[in-house]
Amino acid sequence: QQQVKQSPQSLIVQKGGISIINCAYENTAFDYFPWYQQFPGKGPALLIAIRPDVSEKKEGRFTISFNKSAKQFSLHIMDSQPGDSATYFCAARIIQGAQKLVFGQGTRLTINP
Amino acid sequence: IAGITQAPTSQILAAGRRMTLRCTQDMRHNAMYWYRQDLGLGLRLIHYSNTAGTTGKGEVPDGYSVSRANTDDFPLTLASAVPSQTSVYFCASQDSNTGELFFGEGSRLTVL
């Protein structure tokens, strides 16, 4: 049972375009929603994160949009660059005796030059 | 700054053998985690530890065990490896102030 559902599984975008990755969740106990970026052969690293009391967070070319009522959140990469080519994971945190992050299935993003 | 160090980087293992994946952190984080990464399934939590001396089960704990004798080390043991445990394993620690997870570079395990 996947608690966080991510789509698409893979995405190809032209350089300069907008990349959009979507995630949906069911558990309303989640209180923190990060996105992680992973390059080949490396571990994931935190890219950007949002809490459910705000609807949007922007850091440079990266924006998280959060819709609490729909239980959905998305990552937008503006002016996508070849260096953004990586696998992206959305996640959600639950605190039930311990803090645990539940990850989506991942999206392999390729930016064509 | 090393962060999270995992060993081995990769390993090929015969089914039925015992294997321990090592994980060491130098950030003095209390919470540590083991995830496995499989294509199409993302990162799934195997076991976690809130602090030294305590451990807990994640989403996919069967066939794995962990120990947390001290703050820095969090080894993952496969008592009798099976082919379905072929995966890339990531160890992580958590900054309790920010909630951010710091991952190692992974251990690629192939069970034949």
Side-chain angles (χ1 to χ4, degrees), chain A residues 6-14 18-23 35-42 75 77 80-90 104-112, chain B residues 37-43 88 90 108:
Chain A
Q6 183 173 346
S7 63
Q9 186 170 352
S10 64
L11 180 64
I12 299 174
V13 175
Q14 291 300 117
I18 302 173
S19 304
I20 302 174
I21 304 170
N22 300 298
C23 285
W35 285 88
Y36 280 77
Q37 180 187 55
Q38 182 185 34
F39 293 107
K42 301 294 185 182
L75 176 69
I77 306 175
S80 299
Q81 299 297 311
D84 297 330
S85 297
T87 298
Y88 292 81
F89 293 96
C90 63
Q105 297 92 324
T107 297
R108 179 172 290 185
L109 175 65
T110 301
I111 307 300
N112 284 336
Chain B
Q37 182 176 7
D38 303 287
L39 189 64
L41 297 176
L43 293 155
V88 181
F90 287 97
R108 181 177 293 274

Side-chain angles (χ1 to χ4, degrees), chain B residues 1-5 25-27 102:
Chain B
I1 298 177
I4 299 282
T5 301
Q25 57 130 338
D26 63 1
M27 296 173 282
F102 293 84

Side-chain angles (χ1 to χ4, degrees), chain B residues 37-85:
Chain B
Q37 182 176 7
D38 303 287
L39 189 64
L41 297 176
L43 293 155
R44 292 181 293 167
L45 181 64
I46 304 171
H47 284 288
Y48 65 93
S49 170
N50 288 339
T51 188
T54 69
T55 62
K57 294 181 179 180
E59 303 170 69
V60 289
D62 294 344
Y64 306 95
S65 64
V66 292
S67 62
R68 188 87 184 276
N70 57 64
T71 297
D72 297 343
D73 300 301
F74 190 42
L76 176 73
T77 297
L78 290 66
S80 179
V82 295
S84 63
Q85 292 177 312

Side-chain angles (χ1 to χ4, degrees), chain A residues 20-62:
Chain A
I20 302 174
I21 304 170
N22 300 298
C23 285
Y25 65 96
E26 288 296 327
N27 193 336
T28 56
F30 291 139
D31 72 339
Y32 168 72
F33 301 88
W35 285 88
Y36 280 77
Q37 180 187 55
Q38 182 185 34
F39 293 107
K42 301 294 185 182
L46 179 66
L47 180 64
I48 187 173
I50 197 168
R51 296 188 187 274
D53 53 347
V54 297
S55 60
E56 185 175 282
K57 183 173 182 180
K58 184 176 182 178
E59 291 183 1
R61 296 184 294 108
F62 300 90

